[in-house]
Amino acid sequence: MRKTLLRFGMASLALLNFSCGSGDKEVVVPKMELAMQRTLMYHDTREMKKANYTTADFNSGISLENNKLTIFLAAEPDEIAFEIDETDLLNGYVGVYSLKSLPDPETGKAKTTYIYDNGDGSGSA
């Protein structure tokens, strides 16, 4: 009888330990890597302004409001935002999302807004 209770107690502890530990799975978040290159060419002067940015150059933000996921990236003077409807998000958010762009913006999932601040007070392009 004593051996049976000891075995039952050991089995219960093992089962309890296994069942408690299975719910504590660590969530692995993929490392975010960003890169952006842009070139502006002024046709009247043929002046070109180039910039290359990496992850360390960006200030970023993410919000999930009004049924939309918005990802915002800024590296002075460039800013870009991607907005994706909640219904278009993949499970776990990780995936490849096509951009809404010309010639057919209705085929993409991510609305894109780009701002270049030219810093002369006349506004942005």
Side-chain angles (χ1 to χ4, degrees):
M1 177 76 169
R2 203 178 250 186
K3 284 185 180 180
T4 304
L5 285 176
L6 181 61
R7 287 184 185 145
F8 178 75
M10 295 294 277
S12 298
L13 283 174
L15 182 61
L16 181 63
N17 187 31
F18 178 77
S19 65
C20 288
S22 66
D24 298 335
K25 291 183 180 180
E26 186 176 323
V27 176
V28 178
V29 178
K31 183 179 176 185
M32 184 170 62
E33 303 246 353
L34 305 169
M36 182 172 81
Q37 299 83 33
R38 71 104 171 109
T39 301
L40 299 175
M41 187 175 100
Y42 298 92
H43 291 283
D44 56 344
T45 62
R46 297 285 187 213
E47 177 188 2
M48 294 181 79
K49 290 186 178 181
K50 294 183 179 185
N52 294 309
Y53 303 108
T54 62
T55 303
D57 300 318
F58 286 105
N59 292 319
S60 60
I62 297 174
S63 72
L64 185 56
E65 295 176 350
N66 301 323
N67 298 322
K68 295 180 187 306
L69 173 71
T70 303
I71 302 169
F72 175 82
L73 306 165
E76 190 81 28
D78 298 285
E79 300 175 17
I80 192 163
F82 303 98
E83 185 179 273
I84 305 166
D85 286 332
E86 194 171 33
T87 56
D88 292 330
L89 293 172
L90 300 174
N91 187 20
Y93 302 108
V94 178
V96 176
Y97 298 93
S98 58
L99 301 178
K100 291 184 178 191
S101 63
L102 297 174
D104 188 8
E106 296 308 312
T107 60
K109 300 287 184 195
K111 176 184 170 190
T112 307
T113 304
Y114 172 78
I115 298 171
Y116 174 77
D117 183 359
N118 59 18
D120 69 1
S122 64
S124 299

